[in-house]
Amino acid sequence: MAHISIIGSGNMGQAISGLVAKGGNTVELVTSSDTDKVVTGEIVVLAVPYASVAQIVADRGPQLAGKVVVDITNPVDFATFDGLTVAADGSAAAEIAAALPESRVVKAFNTNFAGTLVAGSVGDQPTTVLIAGDDADAKALLAAAVGAAGLRAIDAGGLKRARELEALGFLQITLAAGEKVSWAGGFAVAA
Amino acid sequence: MAHISIIGSGNMGQAISGLVAKGGNTVELVTSSDTDKVVTGEIVVLAVPYASVAQIVADRGPQLAGKVVVDITNPVDFATFDGLTVAADGSAAAEIAAALPESRVVKAFNTNFAGTLVAGSVGDQPTTVLIAGDDADAKALLAAAVGAAGLRAIDAGGLKRARELEALGFLQITLAAGEKVSWAGGFAVAA
């Protein structure tokens, strides 16, 4: 059984917390303003907007050492809504990994709308969490928690693939914002 | 009714030809070696690998003027299988548009495996062709041909979104090559 901390109590933090509990793992939900609360999970999900990550990393870097840190962000440039704010050949996950060299950073959940994590399906497919990271054990630990909740986890490759996951997440957000897909739909993965 | 030329007779060229005919539009299938054959379609699909596009552009540039040119490529770096060969902030479609300033270039079909174009569905969803381009009429013309065949077309935005479509196409290819999804599956779009 895994113990998982979620930092952030927005719709994604709540959805991921529900998922963890549904899978029989234990969850600790911490608001991002609750900076004095030391997180105890072996997996820590940063369920906050990209713009809030830097402060969490600054505040909590040492306590995240050795842990699996899950980056769920889509670093959308909300001023233009026409691209991402990270380097074209980089990713938010790569930046976070560079800032947390003692942690095992994985990218996950950024291609899942919160509603699909709650519903457990997109179309006729189980909601699929694409996970990228350079540490196989870290990915397997997260995948087990996802699978225990009845969702599907797919190992999407090394952390370098976070670039493509963030492109996918951004594209999906633009499609939903443009009412081309619903926030309950989007990209399903048909195995 | 649209008249559509397909350059390239591989699995994608054949699948797109079948789609066009199924929708009641007329199709002209030209092999990429048949360089003397002037294409007559108002829409011309470059159904060839990315590496073959430059020669077609060099040979046929003037005859493509005024036409809707459809780029379906995924410019995967097959030496490393770890990225694309185009600039990180660019796309194959942007390169082709720059090389064909008199044509109306759209990106489409690069996120669809050939088998899903033939089958017409991915999971329980109609196969969805994501189309990016800067000319609304060009996108609408292609979308009509796709829709007539019973598939779904979604306008994914300006040609700049080809960057994200190519990231999605690349990711999907890596997942299929890694046997995480089948070549009959992959990303479905749930409206």
Side-chain angles (χ1 to χ4, degrees):
Chain A
M1 198 169 80
H3 180 48
I4 303 184
S5 300
I6 318 280
I7 301 176
S9 54
N11 64 346
M12 285 297 287
Q14 291 178 47
I16 297 169
S17 295
L19 191 75
V20 171
K22 187 177 173 186
N25 293 294
T26 60
V27 61
E28 167 186 64
L29 184 58
V30 178
T31 67
S32 50
S33 59
D34 198 6
T35 51
D36 293 338
K37 173 80 176 80
V38 174
V39 291
T40 58
E42 58 195 301
I43 300 176
V44 179
V45 180
L46 307 182
V48 297
Y50 172 70
S52 302
V53 169
Q55 189 61 49
I56 291 174
V57 166
D59 289 343
R60 297 178 181 274
Q63 71 184 257
L64 298 174
K67 296 181 184 296
V68 177
V69 172
V70 183
D71 165 34
I72 74 161
T73 65
N74 283 301
V76 177
D77 183 342
F78 289 107
T80 65
F81 214 70
D82 195 32
L84 301 180
T85 60
V86 295
D89 61 351
S91 65
E95 290 181 356
I96 294 167
L100 294 173
E102 303 300 318
S103 300
R104 297 180 286 163
V105 174
V106 301
K107 184 91 199 180
F109 298 114
N110 77 297
T111 64
N112 304 111
F113 290 146
T116 70
L117 293 174
V118 174
S121 60
V122 183
D124 70 342
Q125 301 295 319
T127 298
T128 301
V129 180
L130 298 170
I131 306 176
D134 292 335
D135 185 306
D137 290 342
K139 289 190 284 192
L141 204 61
L142 181 61
V146 167
L151 279 66
R152 190 192 289 147
I154 290 184
D155 180 349
L159 197 66
K160 196 173 175 190
R161 285 291 80 74
R163 178 182 179 278
E164 282 73 36
L165 295 185
E166 292 177 14
L168 174 53
F170 169 52
L171 178 66
Q172 186 174 235
I173 289 168
T174 67
L175 294 177
E179 300 186 350
K180 308 294 173 66
V181 302
S182 83
W183 295 98
F187 291 109
V189 183
Chain B
M1 197 168 82
H3 179 49
I4 304 184
S5 300
I6 317 280
I7 301 177
S9 55
N11 63 346
M12 284 297 286
Q14 290 177 49
I16 297 169
S17 295
L19 190 75
V20 172
K22 187 177 174 186
N25 293 294
T26 60
V27 62
E28 167 186 65
L29 184 58
V30 178
T31 67
S32 51
S33 59
D34 198 6
T35 50
D36 293 338
K37 174 79 175 79
V38 174
V39 290
T40 57
E42 58 195 299
I43 300 176
V44 179
V45 181
L46 307 183
V48 297
Y50 172 69
S52 303
V53 168
Q55 189 61 50
I56 291 175
V57 167
D59 290 343
R60 297 179 181 273
Q63 72 184 257
L64 298 175
K67 294 180 185 296
V68 177
V69 172
V70 182
D71 165 35
I72 75 161
T73 65
N74 283 301
V76 177
D77 184 341
F78 289 107
T80 64
F81 213 71
D82 194 32
L84 301 180
T85 60
V86 294
D89 61 351
S91 65
E95 291 181 357
I96 293 168
L100 295 172
E102 303 300 319
S103 301
R104 296 180 288 164
V105 174
V106 300
K107 185 91 198 179
F109 298 115
N110 77 299
T111 64
N112 303 113
F113 290 147
T116 68
L117 293 175
V118 174
S121 60
V122 183
D124 70 341
Q125 299 295 320
T127 299
T128 300
V129 180
L130 297 170
I131 306 175
D134 292 334
D135 185 306
D137 291 340
K139 289 191 283 191
L141 203 61
L142 181 61
V146 167
L151 279 66
R152 190 192 290 146
I154 289 183
D155 181 348
L159 198 65
K160 195 173 176 190
R161 286 292 79 74
R163 178 181 180 276
E164 284 73 35
L165 296 185
E166 293 177 15
L168 174 54
F170 169 53
L171 179 67
Q172 186 174 236
I173 288 169
T174 67
L175 294 176
E179 300 185 350
K180 307 292 175 67
V181 302
S182 83
W183 296 98
F187 291 108
V189 182

